[in-house]
Structures are given as C-alpha cells and as structure tokens.
Amino acid sequence: GRRVVAYDKFAKKKIPEKIRAESIFELTRSTKIVVSFVPNDTALRSVVSELLPLQEEIFHISCSTVSPHLSRELAYAHKKSGHKFVAAPVFARPENLRDGQACFILSGATEDVQIARKYLHDLAEKVVDFGSDPGAANVVKLAGNFMIASSIELIAEALALVEKNGVDRQLTMGLMSSTIFNCPIFKGYGHRV
C-alpha cells in the first residue's frame, strides 16, 4: 500500500518509468524516506554524498552489507546534517525479498529504529533490533555471511565425500536439507553446490 519511487544510476532502464527517478534529488522530492541497497562501502558513500547536502530532513535506511565502521561514521554525518540514519542490512536473496521472506537487522537511534521497523516489516518475515550502536547490525550481518560461507564449504566437502564413494550427491543433499539440515541455507545453497 506504499508508493515507491526508485533510483539506480547504473540500471535506470530496468526500473519501470512510472516509478523511476532520474536522480537522488528527484527521488527526495517525492519522498523523505530513502531506503538504499548498494553493493559496498564505496557505493554507499556515493549515495550519502548526494543525500547529506539536502536541506530537508531525510530518513535514510541503509540495507547494504557494509563495514560497521562506515555505518557509525554515516550515522554521525547524517545527524550532523540534520538527517536520520538506520543500518538495516538484510538476509535475503532478491527473490526472497520480493516474496516478503527477508530478515532485516536494525541498529541506530531507538526512535529511528522504530520508524524503520514500520517500513521494513512489510518486506520481511522478521525484523530484529540490535540496539543503538549504528554498526551493530552490520557486525551481525558480517557474522551471518561468514556462517553462510562456512556452510557452503561444509556442504561442498560433505558432497565431495559422498561422490567419491559412489553415492548420489543430489539424493544425499535432498535428504540432508529435508531432515537434519532443514533450513534455507542448506536448501538454497546445498542444491547449488
């Protein structure tokens, strides 16, 4: 039920024209709540460099996987410029986000986190508050990514053992991901390994 306006300076043609903004300035003329999904620290710094000079208060929810240090730095810079900032990295593949099966991890000023929660709740199965340290959510996201990477390695090693001994790897992974490892990581990544 919310109106969405989107801006992506690298993929403008992929955004339907009726919801596309041609710049961050145009985007913020339509909304004061900016939710960013960018791939790294450099890209987030680029977005923020365009947001901070704006005169009207912007409420920025950063859903990117970035360093905890950067989230702390940006929270301070937003506050100093009269804006709000909440770190909200997400555990979800694009199709899971589209289907409302995401998990957002929030951190930042308590009242701002409560506002961000209202917006992100519509996109998620779960929204978890990790407190007022703006970098805390990013620490949890990085820990989760480490656990995912370790799980992929574990799956690869186990399936290599199975295959070397002439046992069907697909059947084995199907069994494992439907019984003792019945979770999205093993179901999703297990069949890709």
Side-chain angles (χ1 to χ4, degrees):
R2 300 191 196 282
R3 182 173 172 268
V4 173
V5 180
Y7 170 70
D8 183 338
K9 69 171 139 184
F10 300 109
K12 289 180 184 175
K13 292 181 181 173
K14 292 182 181 178
I15 300 171
E17 193 172 333
K18 67 180 183 178
I19 66 165
R20 182 174 62 224
E22 297 300 324
S23 67
I24 288 182
F25 178 74
E26 184 182 326
L27 175 87
T28 58
R29 284 192 353 226
S30 301
T31 181
K32 300 306 172 212
I33 309 255
V34 174
V35 181
S36 63
F37 289 84
V38 297
N40 55 43
D41 286 25
T42 302
L44 185 56
R45 282 184 194 280
S46 176
V47 168
V48 169
S49 73
E50 294 182 57
L51 289 176
L52 291 184
L54 299 172
Q55 297 301 310
E56 291 188 54
E57 181 182 276
I58 298 297
F59 192 101
H60 182 191
I61 303 170
S62 171
C63 299
S64 306
T65 302
V66 296
S67 70
H69 174 76
L70 180 62
S71 281
R72 292 177 185 116
E73 177 186 317
L74 295 181
Y76 176 77
H78 278 72
K79 185 175 183 176
K80 187 175 168 186
S81 297
H83 303 304
K84 310 276 186 182
F85 178 88
V86 172
V90 59
F91 283 115
R93 297 181 52 77
E95 62 272 15
N96 300 120
L97 185 61
R98 182 192 63 235
D99 296 339
Q101 299 170 337
C103 173
F104 287 94
I105 311 149
L106 309 182
S107 63
T110 304
E111 60 278 3
D112 298 342
V113 166
Q114 294 311 312
I115 293 167
R117 176 187 292 278
K118 290 177 191 172
Y119 286 94
L120 297 175
H121 192 269
D122 294 343
L123 302 172
E125 284 183 330
K126 194 166 199 147
V127 179
V128 183
D129 180 353
F130 274 87
S132 61
D133 171 6
N138 299 100
V139 170
V140 174
K141 173 63 176 177
L142 294 173
N145 282 1
F146 177 75
M147 292 172 76
I148 291 169
S150 298
S151 296
I152 292 169
E153 176 64 21
L154 173 126
I155 292 166
E157 293 292 336
L159 294 179
L161 170 69
V162 166
E163 198 169 49
K164 276 188 173 184
N165 284 280
V167 177
D168 184 300
R169 68 185 283 132
Q170 296 282 15
L171 184 61
T172 300
M173 195 62 232
L175 170 72
M176 297 299 179
S177 66
S178 66
T179 57
I180 61 175
F181 295 106
N182 186 5
C183 68
I185 297 302
F186 283 86
K187 285 181 176 182
Y189 291 103
H191 295 285
R192 289 184 180 99
V193 173

